[in-house]
Amino acid sequence: PAATPGNHNNARKRAVSLLGRPQRPSYYLSKYVCEFGNVVKGVPCKKKFRIQNIGFCGMTAEFDKVLYAEHGISLSPDKIGSLGGAPANAVEDLVVEMDTAPLEVGPLTMELPVTVKGGPAVAIVFMANIVLPDVEVSKLAINFPLTKVLQLRTESIQLSNTMVVPAEWSIQAKDQGSGFTVEPSRGKLRPDDKINVKITFEPKTEKDFASKLYVRVNHNPKTHCISCKGKGAELKIEVDPAFLEFAPVLPYASSSEIELTITNKSQVPVEVFSLDFDQQYLQERQVLLGAQGYQGDGRMLLPPREVGEGLPAILIEEYNARKAEEAAILAA
């Protein structure tokens, strides 16, 4: 078909486009390697290097900005003016920045040309290992056994960094007030490091608890999910009758008695005692009032007491030692 003015214009535009970018040479006289090492995907990285004219004549060099940008590379400056040769052998410092966001994970090698006016074909080989930081979680499901209200149970998991770059991690519960807490909740692991994380279950009421803990690592879209389940048990008793009324009794006469029934309505054994008359409770109260180790919220964490057990031996020993010291001071 006959050519039209529009066809001529399009052909001219294509010719200009093809001629505007120099063709890559089929071989290079010299190749220089710029090694970035292990690089986190999505984190820009910079590196400095120096070009020196080791010849006798002046030299100018240019980098194809468009071509470099297509590969995520930018150079500053992108053009080198006249570099004097011997005996000064002038140098030029350059800064190269790599945008790792669009790059695939894994080893990377890019060979990009340097245009040296009137000189041989030269290339820079950019090398990097693109990595996503991550951690391994030792356990993804935790089922706590039946736990009394106001008591705690803990389980530990381990986070391991098996990657070649540091990993900044955090753990957050899906629902606040879920009954599960994490300590520590965030941190940073160097390559091959590990850390134990304590997950605590503290029920505030009697019900089934279920929540998910999400482990996130900076610069990694992947999320690890830890499923936590537990059940709280309240201590409940029923006293029958709830109100006691004694018959009139004359002074120095026989006492009046009423029988009552205490029924354990909870799912766990219950120990019942009188706050006013139980001598063991009154003694233990004195021990606890002077004990050391209370936290800021007024609580002291101790191993759970089974029904019928007394205070831990260490508290009794501390109390006796303190009393002996006080007695010695008074006797002096």
Side-chain angles (χ1 to χ4, degrees):
T4 63
N7 290 338
H8 283 300
N9 290 336
N10 291 336
R12 185 177 303 144
K13 289 180 181 179
R14 288 197 296 270
V16 170
S17 176
L18 291 174
L19 294 174
R21 174 176 296 179
Q23 297 294 319
R24 291 202 191 188
S26 57
Y27 69 93
Y28 296 101
L29 180 64
S30 301
K31 293 182 181 179
Y32 301 91
V33 176
C34 179
E35 173 65 66
F36 283 91
N38 297 315
V39 178
V40 176
K41 180 178 172 63
V43 178
C45 53
K46 291 184 178 181
K47 203 169 186 65
K48 294 182 179 180
F49 65 93
R50 174 173 290 182
I51 290 182
Q52 184 176 23
N53 183 2
I54 59 175
F56 290 93
C57 302
M59 181 197 79
T60 61
E62 186 175 354
F63 308 94
D64 188 338
K65 288 196 301 183
V66 176
L67 176 63
Y68 277 54
E70 289 175 354
H71 292 78
I73 299 290
S74 63
L75 278 168
S76 178
D78 59 9
K79 184 181 297 185
I80 299 175
S82 179
L83 284 180
N89 294 116
V91 299
E92 181 80 19
D93 292 325
L94 293 94
V95 177
V96 57
E97 183 171 354
M98 178 185 291
D99 180 12
T100 61
L103 301 178
E104 296 293 330
V105 173
L108 172 71
T109 301
M110 295 185 295
E111 191 175 275
L112 299 177
V114 179
T115 303
V116 179
K117 186 176 181 180
V122 178
I124 301 177
V125 181
F126 297 96
M127 301 181 67
N129 183 30
I130 311 300
V131 183
L132 273 179
D134 201 0
V135 296
E136 288 187 359
V137 184
S138 63
K139 195 182 300 184
L140 295 178
I142 300 177
N143 293 318
F144 288 90
L146 188 67
T147 304
K148 296 178 183 178
V149 172
L150 301 181
Q151 287 192 353
L152 312 178
R153 287 190 185 271
T154 61
E155 289 277 352
S156 292
I157 62 171
Q158 188 173 82
L159 304 182
S160 307
N161 183 6
T162 58
M163 307 303 289
V164 294
V165 293
E168 295 185 19
W169 58 271
S170 63
I171 303 180
Q172 187 175 9
K174 179 181 179 181
D175 306 310
Q176 297 298 326
S178 61
F180 303 96
T181 56
V182 180
E183 184 183 359
S185 60
R186 61 182 59 248
K188 184 176 182 178
L189 286 176
R190 294 175 298 180
D192 298 322
D193 274 1
K194 301 177 181 179
I195 187 173
N196 292 328
V197 177
K198 183 172 67 175
I199 300 177
T200 302
F201 174 49
E202 183 179 2
K204 303 292 187 182
T205 184
E206 182 172 310
K207 69 174 186 177
D208 292 327
F209 291 81
S211 183
K212 296 184 182 297
L213 304 178
Y214 293 103
V215 183
R216 295 182 172 90
V217 179
N218 284 1
H219 307 296
N220 190 337
K222 179 182 176 182
T223 300
H224 302 279
C225 179
I226 304 173
S227 176
C228 297
K229 294 181 180 180
K231 185 173 184 178
E234 290 184 348
L235 303 184
K236 297 180 290 186
I237 60 173
E238 181 182 90
V239 180
D240 184 39
F243 178 77
L244 303 180
E245 183 175 358
F246 290 87
V249 178
L250 293 174
Y252 306 107
S254 59
S255 59
S256 176
E257 296 181 355
I258 298 179
E259 288 189 359
L260 56 88
T261 302
I262 299 178
T263 305
N264 181 9
K265 293 290 187 178
S266 57
Q267 304 177 56
V268 292
V270 173
E271 183 176 359
V272 181
F273 55 90
S274 169
L275 297 180
D276 298 308
F277 303 106
D278 188 280
Q279 293 301 311
Q280 180 181 346
Y281 164 74
L282 296 176
Q283 293 171 3
E284 290 179 349
R285 185 171 184 274
Q286 292 300 316
V287 173
L288 292 173
L289 286 174
Q292 303 296 319
Y294 285 99
Q295 298 178 344
D297 57 1
R299 299 190 305 174
M300 180 189 301
L301 296 181
L302 295 170
R305 293 175 60 176
E306 299 298 332
V307 172
E309 287 187 353
L311 290 176
I314 187 172
L315 292 182
I316 303 297
E317 293 171 1
E318 290 178 356
Y319 176 77
N320 292 334
R322 187 169 63 253
K323 286 298 182 181
E325 183 179 352
E326 292 175 357
I329 295 175
L330 292 175

